[in-house]
Amino acid sequence: IKPDGEMERPPLIPIKGIPMIKYFAEIWDDVETFEPHRDDLLISTYPKSGTTWISEVIDMIFKEGDTEKCKQNPIYARVPFLEFKVPGVPSGIELLRKASPPRMIKTHLPIQLLPEAFWTKDCKMIYVARNAKDVAVSYYYFYQMAKVHPDPGTWNEFLELFMAGNVSFGSWYDHVKGWWDKRKEQRMLYLFFEDLKENPQREIRKVMEFLERPPDARLVEKIAHHTSFKEMKQNEMANYKTIPTDIMDHSISPFMRKGITGDWKNLFTVAQNEIFDENYKQQMEGTTLHFRTEI
Ligand code: A3P
């Protein structure tokens, strides 16, 4: 307990069986009944899968490559985070109420928790998935720097929590499979972090096509440049440095940490990798969804 009575690192609270950050769980009723507009665009990801990256790409598309316009507000204000709530900071719903459609809306909710109105309104959705090993590593560092999360413990302890789905927003395995299974029934574009990394311009063109924008070559190039890791790391309106230190402490680990595929090799031991692979096979059995852990 901090001096003002605010609890740092509160334990997760389950919402319909999915562990959630305590403050997010407290506003669940407002989230569940949220009504999007048909023209709103949903950006959905499991945490640490490239949410900020794809958000900046999409905002650049909507603003037709006007970097000055994109630098007027931090990414979390340009793309409100639907279920977000932390004391002393505007919630996602508050930000969304102030914006007029078409809005970009970020969510980390597993598919079964997405507010019903997104389906009935037939909103377009862009999902980005990233391989489990890099997500686990990125999430471990993020748990340390973002203090709304419980203490992650040691890397080995965190990895076990991750495999068991006992982390904020629940199981990575169920999340990526759940959204994958719905992709054909919905106006949904399902992308991979590794593809974006491998060929950003190709993936940006895919997004533009999905959003019915002409794929102007110079614009694609400009967007790819502005949304490179190097650019975004030094862009104060994309790198989360404007968030108060008691919520995100970049001195522990920067939000824009490495931005690569394959960093898991620096943390996984040989034994952990074997256990993980074995468990992965079981949890991903039968799906047509495949990931690359190196490119
Ligand atoms: P790492 O911790 O592996 O570096 P999210 O936005 O979903 O929270 O994901 C954060 C992860 O995406 C971090 O991964 C971050 O560095 C990476 N990232 C953010 N912007 C990126 C970019 N433009 N290119 C590559 N990776 C990026």
Side-chain angles (χ1 to χ4, degrees):
I1 308 279
K2 291 201 292 181
D4 61 357
E6 201 68 75
M7 204 181 13
E8 214 173 68
R9 299 198 175 281
L12 301 172
I13 294 181
I15 294 288
K16 301 186 182 171
I18 303 295
M20 298 278 278
I21 289 167
K22 173 178 172 268
Y23 308 117
F24 295 20
E26 284 168 358
I27 59 152
W28 177 248
D29 291 351
D30 289 342
V31 174
E32 196 173 29
T33 53
F34 177 78
E35 290 272 343
H37 187 275
R38 183 187 147 86
D39 296 333
D40 290 335
L41 175 70
L42 187 73
I43 300 173
S44 173
T45 56
Y46 187 80
K48 312 324 289 174
S49 302
T51 329
T52 317
W53 188 6
I54 199 69
S55 297
E56 191 70 33
V57 166
I58 295 165
D59 194 37
M60 275 289 275
I61 294 173
F62 282 156
K63 297 196 168 104
E64 289 170 8
D66 190 334
T67 50
E68 289 317 304
K69 269 197 201 162
C70 290
K71 284 184 177 173
Q72 279 168 8
N73 283 302
I75 192 67
Y76 50 83
R78 286 178 283 146
V79 184
F81 181 8
L82 178 63
E83 60 272 18
F84 175 83
K85 172 70 191 161
V86 165
V89 186
S91 71
I93 300 232
E94 278 164 342
L95 291 172
L96 285 165
R97 281 195 191 124
K98 282 187 207 144
S100 44
R103 298 164 295 188
M104 290 173 279
I105 306 175
K106 160 183 164 179
T107 188
H108 288 320
L109 293 172
I111 196 128
Q112 72 277 20
L113 290 192
L114 188 72
E116 187 58 32
F118 280 94
W119 307 116
T120 51
K121 296 275 167 65
D122 194 28
C123 293
K124 277 195 182 182
M125 305 176 176
I126 297 184
Y127 187 86
V128 182
R130 186 184 192 185
N131 81 78
K133 290 178 183 178
D134 282 327
V135 168
V137 169
S138 184
Y139 216 178
Y140 176 58
Y141 286 104
F142 188 60
Y143 252 64
Q144 296 177 52
M145 70 87 73
K147 301 196 190 136
V148 291
H149 297 100
D151 191 319
T154 64
W155 160 240
N156 197 62
E157 283 163 352
F158 183 78
L159 188 59
E160 277 175 11
L161 292 173
F162 181 87
M163 287 191 283
N166 204 354
V167 290
S168 172
F169 293 103
S171 160
W172 172 90
Y173 312 85
D174 293 347
H175 205 284
V176 295
K177 285 189 291 183
W179 285 87
W180 178 253
D181 291 344
K182 270 265 188 190
R183 76 195 184 286
K184 286 180 181 158
E185 291 163 40
Q186 193 68 23
R187 300 198 292 165
M188 190 195 302
L189 180 67
Y190 197 107
L191 299 171
F192 294 91
F193 181 101
E194 294 75 23
D195 293 348
L196 265 161
K197 196 74 209 168
E198 180 182 64
N199 191 338
Q201 295 202 21
R202 179 190 62 207
E203 299 306 302
I204 291 167
R205 267 184 254 110
K206 264 191 215 167
V207 176
M208 290 171 89
E209 195 191 329
F210 180 70
L211 297 175
E212 293 158 88
R213 304 277 164 148
D216 179 86
R218 295 227 346 242
L219 179 57
V220 172
E221 209 176 293
K222 189 172 185 190
I223 295 173
H225 175 76
H226 175 79
T227 60
S228 70
F229 181 73
K230 198 168 153 258
E231 286 292 318
M232 283 184 61
K233 189 175 170 76
Q234 59 200 28
N235 177 357
E236 295 276 312
M237 292 299 138
N239 66 16
Y240 280 92
K241 289 253 178 89
T242 48
I243 296 269
T245 320
D246 57 341
I247 300 175
M248 279 190 186
D249 189 345
H250 295 264
S251 71
I252 296 174
S253 175
F255 184 92
M256 293 291 168
R257 196 179 60 87
K258 285 195 180 175
I260 59 169
T261 292
D263 188 44
W264 61 271
K265 290 174 191 169
N266 294 313
L267 224 57
F268 276 73
T269 63
V270 172
Q272 283 168 345
N273 196 39
E274 276 172 15
I275 293 167
F276 191 91
D277 284 347
E278 189 51 41
N279 176 270
Y280 188 93
K281 253 191 255 158
Q282 289 168 22
Q283 299 214 49
M284 299 297 278
E285 202 190 321
T287 178
T288 51
L289 177 57
H290 296 291
F291 286 89
R292 291 188 286 167
T293 54
E294 52 197 320
I295 51 174

